[in-house]
């Protein structure tokens, strides 16, 4: 009743959840100004806003629970999942039930699975999906996966810093590496689904 929430990158050049006051002042401000992006979010209709973001690490995605005042200003921020170059949480958005918030999360050691946490009380995250049913090929490829190394490099015109990841094979019989540029926070590496480094042909140099 006091504010409307929406996403925009007009204010800072970064995509952030912002609020516009409904008192006629036309005041618009980002809920959390910072050099990072909010990639998806869901509001519970009361006071809690859940955000998938890359503010912990620009090459990863974590999830925060933001408690809001009635006027839309931030009361508190709590981290549910800390983002890192090896953790991607909240891709494709999140979902709410009466008691839980749910999201997809993956890492080099676990396939994309459904995690849930209580909407109130202590944060006790648990996985409710069965990897053997949702990712039956995972157990055949798990040993071939590697932890990517985050890198940055300048664009050709020097105007931008590009972010990417290097996948290096962990076998002495394979040479070369794969350089993966994820193109922005909307396309972070779903590391649990990739085994790019292991696909390089043995005994051949390959840099992509």
């Amino acid at each position: 009743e006091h504010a409307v929430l929406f996403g925009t990158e007009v204010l800072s050049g970064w995509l952030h959840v912002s609020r516009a006051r409904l008192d006629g002042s036309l005041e618009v401000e980002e809920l959390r100004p910072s050099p990072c992006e909010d990639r998806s979010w869901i509001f519970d209709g009361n006071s809690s806003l859940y955000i998938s973001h890359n503010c912990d690490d620009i090459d990863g995605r974590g999830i925060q629970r933001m408690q809001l005042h009635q006027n839309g200003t931030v009361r508190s921020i709590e981290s549910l999942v800390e983002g890192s170059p090896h953790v991607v949480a909240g891709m494709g958005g999140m979902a709410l039930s009466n008691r839980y918030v749910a999201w997809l999360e993956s890492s080099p050691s676990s396939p994309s699975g459904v995690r849930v946490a209580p909407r109130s009380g202590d944060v006790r995250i648990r996985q409710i999906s069965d990897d053997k049913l949702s990712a039956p090929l995972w157990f055949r490829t798990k040993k071939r996966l590697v932890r990517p190394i985050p890198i940055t490099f300048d664009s050709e015109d020097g105007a931008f810093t590009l972010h990417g990841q290097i996948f290096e094979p962990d076998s002495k019989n394979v040479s070369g590496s794969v350089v993966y540029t994820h193109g922005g926070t909307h396309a972070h590496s779903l590391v649990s689904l990739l085994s790019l480094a292991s696909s390089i042909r043995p005994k051949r140099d390959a840099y992509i």
Side-chain angles (χ1 to χ4, degrees):
E1 298 178 357
H2 301 277
V4 60
L5 302 178
F6 60 97
T8 181
E9 52 186 29
V10 171
L11 299 178
S12 64
W14 298 90
L15 178 61
H16 284 148
V17 181
S18 303
R19 75 174 186 115
R21 295 176 56 178
L22 299 181
D23 58 3
S25 66
L26 300 180
E27 177 184 337
V28 178
E29 64 179 0
E30 297 176 341
L31 295 187
R32 179 194 48 205
S34 50
C36 57
E37 292 202 331
D38 302 327
R39 292 310 311 171
S40 62
W41 51 86
I42 187 169
F43 184 56
D44 70 352
N46 186 16
S47 62
S48 297
L49 179 68
Y50 296 87
I51 302 176
S52 174
H53 63 92
N54 69 340
C55 296
D56 296 325
D57 190 294
I58 201 167
D59 292 306
R61 283 177 69 168
I63 293 179
Q64 289 178 337
R65 178 165 56 201
M66 189 178 291
Q67 300 291 342
L68 305 177
H69 296 288
Q70 286 189 342
N71 62 2
T73 56
V74 178
R75 184 173 63 197
S76 64
I77 298 178
E78 179 183 16
S79 179
L80 300 184
V81 179
E82 184 175 353
S84 76
H86 307 120
V87 174
V88 181
M91 56 279 197
M94 292 159 284
L96 294 175
S97 70
N98 291 335
R99 297 175 55 192
Y100 296 95
V101 56
W103 64 89
L104 290 175
E105 182 178 331
S106 64
S107 74
S109 59
S110 62
S112 182
V114 180
R115 268 71 164 182
V116 297
R119 289 174 52 181
S120 61
D122 295 336
V123 177
R124 299 184 303 275
I125 297 174
R126 60 189 178 92
Q127 181 171 328
I128 61 173
S129 58
D130 188 334
D131 292 343
K132 293 182 179 180
L133 295 177
S134 62
L137 297 180
W138 169 260
F139 299 96
R140 294 168 54 184
T141 61
K142 182 178 181 179
K143 293 182 179 180
R144 301 172 61 193
L145 300 180
V146 296
R147 293 174 68 89
I149 302 171
I151 58 170
T152 60
F153 48 94
D154 294 332
S155 60
E156 187 174 353
D157 58 8
F160 301 97
T161 298
L162 306 179
H163 289 255
Q165 295 170 325
I166 294 181
F167 291 79
E168 294 183 335
D170 57 1
S171 172
K172 296 181 179 180
N173 297 323
V174 180
S175 61
S177 301
V178 172
V179 177
Y180 172 73
T181 56
H182 53 63
T185 56
H186 66 284
H188 285 304
S189 169
L190 303 184
V191 290
S192 70
L193 303 180
L194 295 177
S195 56
L196 295 178
S198 63
S199 66
I200 302 175
R201 295 182 180 180
K203 299 181 180 180
R204 290 188 60 181
D205 291 330
Y207 299 91
I208 301 176

